[in-house]
């Protein structure tokens, strides 16, 4: 487990012990075996990549699965590539509730971690049923939300709360509303969290643990020390500052030059985003100040030193840490129409046509792993969240 993950787990564990010792012990009983299983799995990844990866692209069971029950979103954030490519505009929910529930039933024996994201997952009408099925199987789940609908969805969530609720807040009120491009967004988050925390107290529940997730951009990074205090006032257990994920046209050009015959990408379809104007020496200074003065645990993802920060923001096509991406052996996303997609717009199959586990080690997925094992990361991996993720 990375130091980033250890800091998050430690911060969450301390808060849970304080709020509800019995619930914390119950969660620990579930977490420790799951953690040990994942540690063993991590040790096996190099073997899977260097041996099975080169032979036939085989992988063991997925460690975590990202479910996107809807692409729709009620915000239009300027830095979001899903706004840039139009994916959030008027997309219907293709899957009916039972299809998502059947998926959870199928993968439950493998004990994957379930991440629920989108789009905005609280716009999915069946979110409560999905959470109940996940809880029924004793799986760990996290939901990422903009929290603007949380006030009226809080009761439903508390019927089967996820282990953590990761809420996107990118600054104090004015900064957050400007970045999210909808006035009143911050106030809705605040009201939603107030409601949720009242219900947690009412039901004596430590779950969901509230994590504020704040994207670092050139327009808000100076606010990071202040943002830790905002997160504390909102009732968060921990704040995660996330470096901006971006995709440049040159990354896609380089990718297509090598892989257009089997995995072509289109800049308009992907939704290119870029970042400019960050003084990385100043950013490093602000990050150190933030970690030192924060009233709650503050972590940064990915964890980058001063030189890595310079490379990350000023040389976007350069790999910060060249390696074979572990994501293809550990995780995948499932879209609202049932497509299983391990990487951007690459589709390995559809769970309406085959079972998830058939797709997991099917021909398309194995070919994807074999390309990575043989040739290393794609150029589009350079600033992708999944590339850095091994937890």
């Amino acid at each position: 487990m990375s130091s980033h993950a250890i800091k998050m787990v430690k911060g969450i564990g301390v808060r849970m012990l304080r709020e509800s010792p019995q619930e914390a012990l119950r969660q620990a009983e579930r977490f420790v075996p799951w953690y040990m299983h994942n540690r063993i799995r991590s040790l096996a990844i190099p073997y899977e990549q260097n041996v099975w990866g080169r032979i036939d692209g085989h992988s063991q069971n997925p460690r975590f699965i990202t479910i996107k029950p809807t692409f729709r979103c009620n915000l239009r954030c300027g830095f979001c590539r899903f706004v840039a490519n139009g994916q959030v505009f008027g997309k219907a929910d293709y899957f009916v509730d039972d299809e998502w529930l059947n998926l959870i039933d199928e993968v439950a024996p493998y004990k994957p971690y379930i991440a629920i994201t989108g789009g905005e997952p609280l716009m999915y009408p069946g979110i409560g049923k999905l959470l109940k099925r996940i809880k029924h199987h004793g799986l760990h789940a996290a939901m990422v939300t903009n929290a603007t609908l949380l006030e009226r969805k809080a009761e439903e969530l508390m019927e089967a709360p996820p282990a953590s609720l990761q809420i996107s807040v990118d600054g104090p009120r004015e900064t957050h509303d400007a970045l999210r491009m909808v006035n009143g967004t911050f106030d809705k988050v605040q009201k939603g969290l107030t409601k949720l925390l009242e219900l947690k107290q009412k039901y004596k529940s430590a779950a969901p643990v509230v994590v504020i997730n704040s994207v670092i951009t050139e327009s808000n990074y100076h606010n990071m020390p202040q943002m830790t205090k905002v997160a504390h006032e909102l009732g968060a257990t921990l704040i995660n500052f996330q470096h901006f994920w971006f995709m440049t046209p040159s990354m896609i050009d380089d990718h297509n030059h090598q892989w257009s015959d089997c995995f072509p990408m289109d800049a308009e379809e992907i939704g290119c985003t870029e970042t400019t104007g960050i003084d990385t020496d100043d950013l490093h200074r602000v990050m150190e100040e933030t970690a030192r003065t924060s009233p709650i645990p503050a972590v940064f993802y990915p964890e980058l030193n001063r030189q890595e920060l310079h490379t990350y923001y000023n040389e976007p096509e350069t790999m910060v840490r060249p390696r074979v991406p572990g994501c293809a052996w550990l995780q995948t996303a499932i879209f609202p129409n049932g497509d299983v997609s391990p990487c951007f717009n690459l589709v390995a199959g559809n769970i309406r046509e085959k079972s998830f586990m058939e797709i997991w080690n099917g021909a398309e997925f194995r070919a994807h792993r074999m390309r990575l094992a043989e040739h290393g990361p794609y150029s589009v991996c350079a600033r992708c969240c999944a590339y850095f993720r091994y937890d």
Side-chain angles (χ1 to χ4, degrees), residues 236-257:
T237 296
L238 176 145
I239 183 167
N240 178 62
F241 291 100
Q242 177 181 296
H243 291 290
F244 183 52
W245 310 118
F246 48 95
M247 175 76 70
T248 67
S250 60
M251 287 180 191
I252 295 179
D253 289 343
D254 289 345
H255 174 88
N256 286 334
H257 180 73

Side-chain angles (χ1 to χ4, degrees), residues 311-372:
T311 301
Y312 188 93
Y313 285 101
N314 294 291
E315 303 171 30
E317 289 81 20
T318 301
M319 293 289 174
V320 174
R321 296 170 188 163
R323 63 186 180 190
V324 177
C327 51
W329 282 264
L330 295 173
Q331 64 175 353
T332 192
I334 304 178
F335 295 160
N337 65 349
D339 283 345
V340 176
S341 178
C343 183
F344 293 102
N345 64 338
L346 177 67
V347 176
N350 188 289
I351 57 176
R352 280 180 162 171
E353 300 167 0
K354 294 182 180 179
S355 71
F356 174 81
M357 292 307 298
E358 284 181 290
I359 297 169
W360 179 252
N361 275 315
E364 290 292 334
F365 219 134
R366 287 188 292 108
H368 171 58
R369 295 190 189 107
M370 291 171 71
R371 288 193 294 269
L372 294 172

Side-chain angles (χ1 to χ4, degrees), residues 50-229:
N50 295 322
V51 179
W52 289 341
R54 292 176 182 270
I55 295 172
D56 70 353
H58 180 83
S59 172
Q60 296 186 57
N61 304 328
R63 184 188 289 181
F64 63 95
I65 298 171
T66 298
I67 293 177
K68 295 176 177 281
T70 181
F71 280 141
R72 291 182 294 166
C73 186
N74 56 338
L75 299 182
R76 300 293 180 259
C77 306
F79 53 79
C80 178
R81 73 177 185 87
F82 301 111
V83 172
N85 69 8
Q87 206 168 45
V88 303
F89 298 103
K91 295 286 186 180
D93 295 309
Y94 296 97
F95 258 34
V96 297
D97 294 344
D98 286 348
E99 291 172 313
W100 284 119
L101 304 184
N102 292 340
L103 168 70
I104 300 301
D105 292 342
E106 181 193 351
V107 303
Y110 308 106
K111 302 297 180 184
Y113 175 86
I114 305 295
I116 305 173
T117 180
E120 170 48 51
L122 291 183
M123 294 185 72
Y124 172 55
I127 192 65
K129 293 180 182 179
L130 179 59
L131 288 170
K132 286 179 181 177
R133 188 58 62 91
I134 292 170
K135 183 177 181 180
H136 170 75
H137 287 292
L139 303 180
H140 293 271
M143 182 187 298
V144 180
T145 174
N146 63 39
T148 56
L149 304 176
L150 183 57
E151 186 177 17
R152 60 185 170 92
K153 287 284 189 174
E155 287 276 6
E156 185 177 359
L157 290 188
M158 287 305 298
E159 292 177 10
S164 69
L165 198 64
Q166 299 178 29
I167 296 177
S168 302
V169 183
D170 300 315
R173 180 177 284 101
E174 293 78 12
T175 301
H176 179 72
D177 285 3
L179 283 168
R180 296 286 161 173
M181 302 186 75
V182 177
N183 290 334
T185 301
F186 184 91
D187 291 338
K188 289 180 180 178
V189 172
Q190 191 172 45
K191 289 177 182 178
L193 275 173
T194 299
K195 177 71 171 180
L196 181 74
L197 295 175
E198 288 173 353
L199 291 172
K200 284 181 62 177
Q201 187 173 23
K202 176 182 175 181
Y203 298 128
K204 296 181 172 58
S205 174
V209 172
V210 175
V211 176
I212 295 297
N213 191 66
S214 192
V215 176
I216 297 172
T217 72
E218 63 271 19
S219 60
N220 74 345
Y221 79 86
H222 285 105
N223 289 327
M224 286 196 291
Q226 183 184 358
M227 189 57 215
T228 64
K229 297 174 178 60

